[in-house]
PDB file of all heavy atoms in Angstrom:
ATOM      1  N   LYS A 164     -14.462 -17.924  -6.198  1.00 81.00           N
ATOM      2  CA  LYS A 164     -15.339 -16.762  -6.385  1.00 81.00           C
ATOM      3  C   LYS A 164     -16.762 -17.007  -5.879  1.00 81.00           C
ATOM      4  O   LYS A 164     -17.472 -16.068  -5.548  1.00 81.00           O
ATOM      5  CB  LYS A 164     -15.391 -16.360  -7.874  1.00 81.00           C
ATOM      6  CG  LYS A 164     -14.037 -16.012  -8.452  1.00 81.00           C
ATOM      7  CD  LYS A 164     -13.422 -14.840  -7.732  1.00 81.00           C
ATOM      8  CE  LYS A 164     -12.074 -14.509  -8.331  1.00 81.00           C
ATOM      9  NZ  LYS A 164     -11.272 -13.629  -7.531  1.00 81.00           N
ATOM     10  N   ASP A 165     -17.184 -18.262  -5.811  1.00 86.00           N
ATOM     11  CA  ASP A 165     -18.541 -18.576  -5.372  1.00 86.00           C
ATOM     12  C   ASP A 165     -18.677 -18.611  -3.850  1.00 86.00           C
ATOM     13  O   ASP A 165     -19.762 -18.418  -3.323  1.00 86.00           O
ATOM     14  CB  ASP A 165     -18.983 -19.930  -5.948  1.00 86.00           C
ATOM     15  CG  ASP A 165     -19.061 -19.896  -7.464  1.00 86.00           C
ATOM     16  OD1 ASP A 165     -19.353 -18.814  -8.020  1.00 86.00           O
ATOM     17  OD2 ASP A 165     -18.815 -20.942  -8.094  1.00 86.00           O
ATOM     18  N   ARG A 166     -17.581 -18.862  -3.156  1.00 88.00           N
ATOM     19  CA  ARG A 166     -17.615 -18.993  -1.695  1.00 88.00           C
ATOM     20  C   ARG A 166     -16.570 -18.075  -1.051  1.00 88.00           C
ATOM     21  O   ARG A 166     -15.808 -18.494  -0.197  1.00 88.00           O
ATOM     22  CB  ARG A 166     -17.374 -20.441  -1.320  1.00 88.00           C
ATOM     23  CG  ARG A 166     -18.375 -21.381  -1.994  1.00 88.00           C
ATOM     24  CD  ARG A 166     -18.052 -22.804  -1.744  1.00 88.00           C
ATOM     25  NE  ARG A 166     -18.564 -23.143  -0.418  1.00 88.00           N
ATOM     26  CZ  ARG A 166     -18.392 -24.321   0.136  1.00 88.00           C
ATOM     27  NH1 ARG A 166     -17.726 -25.255  -0.489  1.00 88.00           N
ATOM     28  NH2 ARG A 166     -18.876 -24.572   1.330  1.00 88.00           N
ATOM     29  N   LYS A 167     -16.565 -16.817  -1.445  1.00 89.00           N
ATOM     30  CA  LYS A 167     -15.570 -15.854  -0.963  1.00 89.00           C
ATOM     31  C   LYS A 167     -15.625 -15.679   0.550  1.00 89.00           C
ATOM     32  O   LYS A 167     -14.599 -15.688   1.219  1.00 89.00           O
ATOM     33  CB  LYS A 167     -15.780 -14.488  -1.626  1.00 89.00           C
ATOM     34  CG  LYS A 167     -15.397 -14.410  -3.053  1.00 89.00           C
ATOM     35  CD  LYS A 167     -15.623 -12.993  -3.553  1.00 89.00           C
ATOM     36  CE  LYS A 167     -15.352 -12.910  -5.036  1.00 89.00           C
ATOM     37  NZ  LYS A 167     -15.518 -11.545  -5.533  1.00 89.00           N
ATOM     38  N   LYS A 168     -16.821 -15.485   1.078  1.00 89.00           N
ATOM     39  CA  LYS A 168     -16.960 -15.214   2.508  1.00 89.00           C
ATOM     40  C   LYS A 168     -16.480 -16.392   3.348  1.00 89.00           C
ATOM     41  O   LYS A 168     -15.787 -16.205   4.351  1.00 89.00           O
ATOM     42  CB  LYS A 168     -18.408 -14.867   2.851  1.00 89.00           C
ATOM     43  CG  LYS A 168     -18.844 -13.523   2.329  1.00 89.00           C
ATOM     44  CD  LYS A 168     -20.252 -13.211   2.742  1.00 89.00           C
ATOM     45  CE  LYS A 168     -20.663 -11.862   2.162  1.00 89.00           C
ATOM     46  NZ  LYS A 168     -22.040 -11.518   2.501  1.00 89.00           N
ATOM     47  N   GLU A 169     -16.850 -17.579   2.947  1.00 91.00           N
ATOM     48  CA  GLU A 169     -16.447 -18.765   3.690  1.00 91.00           C
ATOM     49  C   GLU A 169     -14.928 -18.919   3.680  1.00 91.00           C
ATOM     50  O   GLU A 169     -14.313 -19.191   4.713  1.00 91.00           O
ATOM     51  CB  GLU A 169     -17.113 -20.006   3.097  1.00 91.00           C
ATOM     52  CG  GLU A 169     -16.800 -21.287   3.829  1.00 91.00           C
ATOM     53  CD  GLU A 169     -17.490 -22.480   3.210  1.00 91.00           C
ATOM     54  OE1 GLU A 169     -18.513 -22.300   2.528  1.00 91.00           O
ATOM     55  OE2 GLU A 169     -16.987 -23.593   3.410  1.00 91.00           O
ATOM     56  N   GLU A 170     -14.327 -18.729   2.524  1.00 92.00           N
ATOM     57  CA  GLU A 170     -12.870 -18.849   2.409  1.00 92.00           C
ATOM     58  C   GLU A 170     -12.156 -17.757   3.207  1.00 92.00           C
ATOM     59  O   GLU A 170     -11.181 -18.017   3.907  1.00 92.00           O
ATOM     60  CB  GLU A 170     -12.464 -18.774   0.933  1.00 92.00           C
ATOM     61  CG  GLU A 170     -10.991 -19.007   0.703  1.00 92.00           C
ATOM     62  CD  GLU A 170     -10.620 -18.993  -0.775  1.00 92.00           C
ATOM     63  OE1 GLU A 170     -11.521 -19.083  -1.634  1.00 92.00           O
ATOM     64  OE2 GLU A 170      -9.423 -18.877  -1.055  1.00 92.00           O
ATOM     65  N   CYS A 171     -12.657 -16.531   3.133  1.00 92.00           N
ATOM     66  CA  CYS A 171     -12.041 -15.418   3.871  1.00 92.00           C
ATOM     67  C   CYS A 171     -12.179 -15.605   5.379  1.00 92.00           C
ATOM     68  O   CYS A 171     -11.252 -15.265   6.135  1.00 92.00           O
ATOM     69  CB  CYS A 171     -12.645 -14.092   3.435  1.00 92.00           C
ATOM     70  SG  CYS A 171     -12.105 -13.561   1.795  1.00 92.00           S
ATOM     71  N   ASN A 172     -13.310 -16.141   5.837  1.00 92.00           N
ATOM     72  CA  ASN A 172     -13.481 -16.408   7.264  1.00 92.00           C
ATOM     73  C   ASN A 172     -12.474 -17.444   7.761  1.00 92.00           C
ATOM     74  O   ASN A 172     -11.894 -17.295   8.843  1.00 92.00           O
ATOM     75  CB  ASN A 172     -14.905 -16.875   7.569  1.00 92.00           C
ATOM     76  CG  ASN A 172     -15.924 -15.765   7.437  1.00 92.00           C
ATOM     77  OD1 ASN A 172     -15.594 -14.592   7.575  1.00 92.00           O
ATOM     78  ND2 ASN A 172     -17.166 -16.138   7.150  1.00 92.00           N
TER      79      ASN A 172
END
Side-chain angles (χ1 to χ4, degrees):
K164 301 299 180 194
D165 296 329
R166 304 174 81 183
K167 288 182 185 182
K168 289 182 182 178
E169 182 180 337
E170 185 177 345
C171 287
N172 289 335

